[in-house]
């Protein structure tokens, strides 16, 4: 045993069950507080007067699937949220009246996915929404009257990837995919799209260049823009003269989040996330407030909501070694009051730091990565254990996404079970400039996988990991990486945990959701084009399914039956191929889930199964599963003996 026995097991339910509260916000008029919290065991919307947060009441009554996203209507009269059915990602928009509590669906259509196109601080009872109920590939733009529910069509979406509106809810820009794998940007005047684009990207800038919104007066358009540079800069464009001003850039990483004034829309601060996230102010007053909050709070901060007069904020803080919390901040009085701690039961738990590290790839690229170690394995907290440990390589999805520094329940869970945990931003990950993304083009299962192998060898070489006791685990692309690890490098890992991972890149591209059509050309150029002989060969060569006979290490698969991105067939295929060859596999299906496990009882159940699986193959600690699996909808379609 590599971890001292006196370190208590942190219960899975405390890490992955419902938080006490989450997503706390203040209404634009400052009169009310809102948040998500359990109601009859399911995450629902709650509301309370800002003057008396204890006088709270639930505003929704979801019975099975948790609400995961919501926002305030600009007039503060309603809360808006989206909800799908059993993970199908056909999100519909709902409105809850804060006075009456009336809860109504504003987009009552079947097989439809709503997107928010535009919000307004001056037309507070309206929204622009995109609906694909006419054609599942394209979102038509409608103006939605929040009070009456009336929808008025503004523009058809055929051929367009999206639209951008100003605060008057006037459509100003249309975005259309082009033959180079990028996007063309067209001006819109009087709901007529210009014949020629005023801006464009090719493939290399497609993921790092996009409009970031208008100022309220419509005079300035902000861009996050990598054209002419590697990392994306924050740029302001004068919509009358076309003059462009670079407001911020960083050679290490793309400009990420921006903080804009709630009334004027003027960007006042921006964030850069290389190893950790840093906020830099453009406005002196905002800079002073951010400095004050950094002095008062320990951890990474985010401004999660602001009143329209900008006098009161909700501030989320992530202490990494403690549960995230949200505070109420009165800027006039300089008063900071605790709103809530998301998981108070973890406040005194043996949580561990996350170490940001830079790992060299074999060809010289730098891989920003994050390492967590068991509580008593690294007494000096220097990032190197006293002795090498079994390790879990936890691979992020996307792949066009990234791992970040912060409180991570999976890192905390696995470290508590006596494993080193390493998450790697392999090439193709976002946030580190366009060259780093492009380095992953056509490299699924090749150089992208080499980066993961290089990271494991780095951990072994530094005395962090035991070479023969490393597991690979991840969801979506991370699930693909798991399957690639067990097929392309069959002796590199002791076992693998694949969650909603594609096994066959050819069928993956054949079955993506119809509303992803605007980015199909990007998929073809970055993964392989199935419409060409060489592209089809590449996709087949990089598909773990066709190398299933090479699997010699234990594999656990988790899948949602209703996944619209990585269809159930992706897991069915690899499990069947293994069974046909008498290769043991454990395959768990959740009939009421999609791309991941949203219901806590299902997530806890799968993690209980994974924990037993890892303990059997790596030798770590294990909390007994008890009744958690029986309390879920888990179905074992295959079970290794």
């Amino acid at each position: 045993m590599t971890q001292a026995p006196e370190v208590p097991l942190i219960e899975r339910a405390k890490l992955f069950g419902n938080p006490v509260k989450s997503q706390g916000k203040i209404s634009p008029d400052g009169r009310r507080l809102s948040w998500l919290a359990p109601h009859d065991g399911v995450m629902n919307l709650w509301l309370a007067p800002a003057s008396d947060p204890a006088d709270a009441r639930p505003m929704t009554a979801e019975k099975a699937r948790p609400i995961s996203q919501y926002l305030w209507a600009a007039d503060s009269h309603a809360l808006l949220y989206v909800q799908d059915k059993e993970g199908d990602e056909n999100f519909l928009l709902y409105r809850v009246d804060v006075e009456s509590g009336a809860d109504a669906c504003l987009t009552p259509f079947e097989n439809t996915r709503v997107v928010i196109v535009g919000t307004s601080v001056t037309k507070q009872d309206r929204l622009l929404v995109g609906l694909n109920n006419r054609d599942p590939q394209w979102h038509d733009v409608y103006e939605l009257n929040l009070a009456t529910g009336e929808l008025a069509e503004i523009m058809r979406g055929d051929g367009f990837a999206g639209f951008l509106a100003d605060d008057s809810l006037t459509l100003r820009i249309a975005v259309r995919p082009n033959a180079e794998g990028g996007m063309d940007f067209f001006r819109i005047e009087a709901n007529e799209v210009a014949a020629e684009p005023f801006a464009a990207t090719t493939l290399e800038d497609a993921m790092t260049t996009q409009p970031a919104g208008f100022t309220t007066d419509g005079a300035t358009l902000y861009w996050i823009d990598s054209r002419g540079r590697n990392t994306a800069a924050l740029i302001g464009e004068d919509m009358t003269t076309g003059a462009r001003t670079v407001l911020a850039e960083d050679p290490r990483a793309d400009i990420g989040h921006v903080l804009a004034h709630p009334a004027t829309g003027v960007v006042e601060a921006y964030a850069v996330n290389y190893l950790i996230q840093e906020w830099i102010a453009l406005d002196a007053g905002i800079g002073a407030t951010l400095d004050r909050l950094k002095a008062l709070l320990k951890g990474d901060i985010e401004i999660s909501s602001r009143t329209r007069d900008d006098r009161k904020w909700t501030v989320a803080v992530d202490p990494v070694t403690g549960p995230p919390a949200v505070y109420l901040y009165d800027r006039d009085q300089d008063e900071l009051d605790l709103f809530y701690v998301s998981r108070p039961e973890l406040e005194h738990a043996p949580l561990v730091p996350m170490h940001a590290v830079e790992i060299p790839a074999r060809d010289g690229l730098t891989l920003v990565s994050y390492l967590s170690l068991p509580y008593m394995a690294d007494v000096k907290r220097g990032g190197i254990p006293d002795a090498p440990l079994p390790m879990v390589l936890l691979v992020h999805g996307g792949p066009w996404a990234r791992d970040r520094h912060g409180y991570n329940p999976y890192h905390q869970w696995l470290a508590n079970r006596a494993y080193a945990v390493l998450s790697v931003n392999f090439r193709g990950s976002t946030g580190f400039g366009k060259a780093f993304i492009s380095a992953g083009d056509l490299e699924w299962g090749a150089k992208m996988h080499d980066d993961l192998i290089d990271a494991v060898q780095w951990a072994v070489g530094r005395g962090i990991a035991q070479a023969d006791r490393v597991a690979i685990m991840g969801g979506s692309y991370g699930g693909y990486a798991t399957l690639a690890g067990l097929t392309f490098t069959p002796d590199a890992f002791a076992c693998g945990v694949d969650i909603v991972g594609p096994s066959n890149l050819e069928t993956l591209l054949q079955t993506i959701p119809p509303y992803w059509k605007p980015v199909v050309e990007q998929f073809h150029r970055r993964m392989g084009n199935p419409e060409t002989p060489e592209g089809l060969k590449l996709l087949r060569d990089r598909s773990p399914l066709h190398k299933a006979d090479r699997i010699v290490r234990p594999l656990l698969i988790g899948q949602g039956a209703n996944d619209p991105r990585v269809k159930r067939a992706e897991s069915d295929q690899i499990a069947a191929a293994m069974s046909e060859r008498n290769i043991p596999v454990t395959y768990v299906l959740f009939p009421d889930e999609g791309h991941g496990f949203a219901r806590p009882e299902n997530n806890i159940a799968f993690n209980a199964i994974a924990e037993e699986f890892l303990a059997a193959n790596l030798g770590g600690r294990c909390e007994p599963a008890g009744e958690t699996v029986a309390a879920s909808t888990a179905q074992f379609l295959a079970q290794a003996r």
Side-chain angles (χ1 to χ4, degrees):
M1 183 65 65
T2 55
Q3 185 166 1
E6 65 268 17
V7 177
L9 281 175
I10 303 173
E11 297 170 26
R12 283 182 299 269
K14 292 181 178 179
L15 291 162
F16 301 108
N18 287 324
V20 171
K21 292 185 177 74
S22 70
Q23 296 188 40
K25 299 177 183 180
I26 190 166
S27 61
D29 63 8
R31 295 177 55 205
R32 295 179 173 90
L33 299 174
S34 59
W35 61 89
L36 295 172
H39 176 50
D40 293 334
V42 179
M43 294 298 282
N44 275 279
L45 271 169
W46 288 69
L47 190 70
S51 59
D52 186 8
D55 184 19
R57 58 188 172 116
M59 301 300 292
T60 56
E62 292 292 323
K63 300 299 183 186
R65 196 158 187 84
I67 294 174
S68 60
Q69 304 174 60
Y70 82 96
L71 70 155
W72 273 97
D75 61 8
S76 300
H77 292 167
L79 292 162
L80 308 173
Y81 69 96
V82 294
Q83 188 71 307
D84 71 349
K85 296 177 182 177
E86 297 190 332
D88 66 3
E89 297 189 17
N90 284 324
F91 291 103
L92 300 180
L93 181 65
Y94 295 79
R95 177 188 187 275
V96 184
D97 188 278
V98 298
E99 294 291 349
S100 69
D103 188 353
C105 181
L106 298 174
T107 56
F109 308 108
E110 292 296 322
N111 301 315
T112 298
R113 177 185 174 94
V114 66
V115 296
I116 304 296
V117 175
T119 61
S120 173
V121 299
T122 54
K123 298 179 72 172
Q124 298 180 2
D125 62 342
R126 308 295 169 109
L127 284 180
L128 292 185
V129 297
L131 296 172
N132 65 339
N133 56 324
R134 179 184 61 86
D135 184 328
Q137 297 179 104
W138 314 109
H139 281 81
D140 301 331
V141 181
Y142 290 81
E143 183 175 273
L144 171 63
N145 185 315
L146 292 173
T148 67
E150 179 184 357
L151 285 163
E153 184 178 306
I154 303 298
M155 183 173 290
R156 293 284 174 100
D158 300 68
F160 292 102
F163 299 89
L164 194 69
D166 61 21
D167 194 74
S168 69
L169 299 183
T170 300
L171 291 178
R172 299 282 297 275
I173 295 174
V175 185
R176 188 169 68 192
N178 60 38
E180 287 71 43
M183 294 290 169
D184 291 334
F185 301 89
F186 299 83
R187 294 181 187 272
I188 302 175
E189 294 187 9
N191 290 334
E192 290 291 329
V193 179
E196 298 296 328
F198 76 99
T201 60
T202 58
L203 180 70
E204 70 167 352
D205 291 298
M207 288 189 175
T208 45
T209 298
Q210 57 275 325
F214 288 95
T215 51
T216 301
D217 61 12
T220 300
L221 171 64
Y222 292 110
W223 291 84
I224 302 296
D225 199 328
S226 64
R227 289 173 294 176
R229 51 181 51 82
N230 178 38
T231 55
L234 173 64
I235 292 175
E237 179 174 352
D238 186 302
M239 291 302 287
T240 301
T241 67
R244 290 163 56 87
T245 303
V246 177
L247 302 174
E249 59 183 326
D250 190 299
R252 304 168 303 162
D254 300 325
I255 302 300
H257 302 307
V258 297
L259 194 63
H261 190 280
T264 68
V266 173
V267 172
E268 299 173 312
Y270 63 92
V272 175
N273 193 335
Y274 181 61
L275 295 176
I276 61 173
Q277 182 163 279
E278 305 167 63
W279 279 99
I280 300 97
L282 298 173
D283 174 88
I286 292 297
T289 302
L290 291 175
D291 288 343
R292 176 64 173 155
L293 291 172
K294 291 174 186 176
L296 293 171
L297 298 170
K298 181 182 179 182
D300 300 331
I301 63 171
E302 292 274 357
I303 311 306
S304 52
S305 65
R306 302 160 76 177
T307 55
R308 191 175 303 110
D309 62 12
D310 207 27
R311 306 325 305 161
K312 294 181 179 179
W313 294 1
T314 55
V315 182
V317 60
D318 179 353
V320 184
T321 54
V326 174
Y327 288 80
L328 302 172
Y329 184 58
D330 187 316
R331 295 184 71 197
D332 290 332
Q333 302 299 320
D334 189 30
E335 291 180 353
L336 188 70
D337 296 309
L338 180 65
F339 185 0
Y340 62 82
V341 176
S342 60
R343 297 179 184 272
E345 63 273 25
L346 293 179
E347 285 191 286
H348 302 292
L351 302 180
V352 298
M354 176 181 277
H355 302 279
V357 296
E358 295 175 303
I359 298 175
R362 65 189 67 179
D363 62 358
L365 281 184
T366 298
L367 312 175
V368 170
S369 304
Y370 299 98
L371 173 68
S372 298
L373 298 172
Y375 192 78
M376 294 302 293
D378 178 22
V379 177
K380 296 181 180 179
R381 296 291 185 259
I384 301 293
D386 301 330
L389 298 162
M391 186 175 83
V392 177
L393 180 68
L394 190 62
V395 186
H396 71 68
W400 305 292
R402 65 162 293 175
D403 282 307
R404 300 171 182 272
H405 183 262
Y407 169 82
N408 184 312
Y410 282 87
H411 271 244
Q412 296 294 348
W413 166 50
L414 294 168
N416 183 257
R417 298 320 191 242
Y419 306 118
V421 192
L422 182 63
S423 292
V424 180
N425 284 306
F426 47 86
R427 70 192 65 208
S429 301
T430 55
F432 305 99
K434 64 188 182 187
F436 194 77
I437 295 173
S438 296
D441 290 354
L442 305 180
E443 296 294 344
W444 283 49
K447 291 182 180 179
M448 292 164 75
H449 186 62
D450 290 345
D451 289 345
L452 299 177
I453 297 298
D454 291 349
V456 170
Q457 292 176 349
W458 172 88
V460 171
R462 291 177 67 89
I464 294 167
Q466 299 172 5
D468 60 345
R469 296 171 75 193
V470 177
I472 183 168
M473 175 177 178
S476 194
Y477 179 86
Y480 166 83
T482 296
L483 298 176
L486 297 193
T487 53
F488 301 157
T489 52
D491 298 319
F493 299 98
C495 62
V497 180
D498 155 33
I499 305 166
V500 298
S503 64
N504 183 341
L505 300 185
E506 183 182 359
T507 54
L508 173 71
L509 289 177
Q510 289 172 354
T511 58
I512 59 173
Y515 44 81
W516 283 8
K517 183 176 177 61
V519 293
V520 164
E521 183 64 27
Q522 283 196 52
F523 288 166
H524 288 178
R525 288 173 177 250
R526 295 194 190 275
M527 295 173 62
N529 187 346
E531 297 172 1
T532 67
E534 60 274 16
L536 184 58
K537 181 180 185 302
L538 178 68
L539 291 169
R540 289 174 175 170
D541 287 345
R542 303 288 174 77
S543 294
L545 175 66
H546 302 308
K547 297 176 176 62
D549 61 319
R550 299 184 183 181
I551 297 176
V552 294
R553 299 293 165 81
L555 173 63
L556 169 63
I557 299 173
Q559 178 69 45
N562 308 310
D563 191 337
R565 307 185 194 191
V566 179
K567 295 290 197 295
R568 170 184 169 176
E570 294 299 317
S571 292
D572 287 350
Q573 290 179 84
I574 191 75
M578 293 176 67
S579 296
E580 288 169 5
R581 294 166 174 81
N582 295 315
I583 302 172
V585 61
T586 297
Y587 178 16
V588 186
L589 181 74
F590 293 88
D592 55 349
E593 295 286 7
H595 196 61
F597 312 134
R599 298 184 65 202
E601 52 267 52
N602 290 337
N603 197 32
I604 292 170
F606 184 79
N607 289 344
I609 296 166
E611 189 170 316
E612 290 184 343
F613 176 83
L614 291 171
N617 290 289
L618 297 184
R621 307 197 306 168
C622 185
E623 176 192 357
E627 299 300 316
T628 57
V629 177
S632 75
T633 62
Q635 299 174 357
F636 284 85
L637 302 191
Q639 198 161 5
R641 300 297 180 187

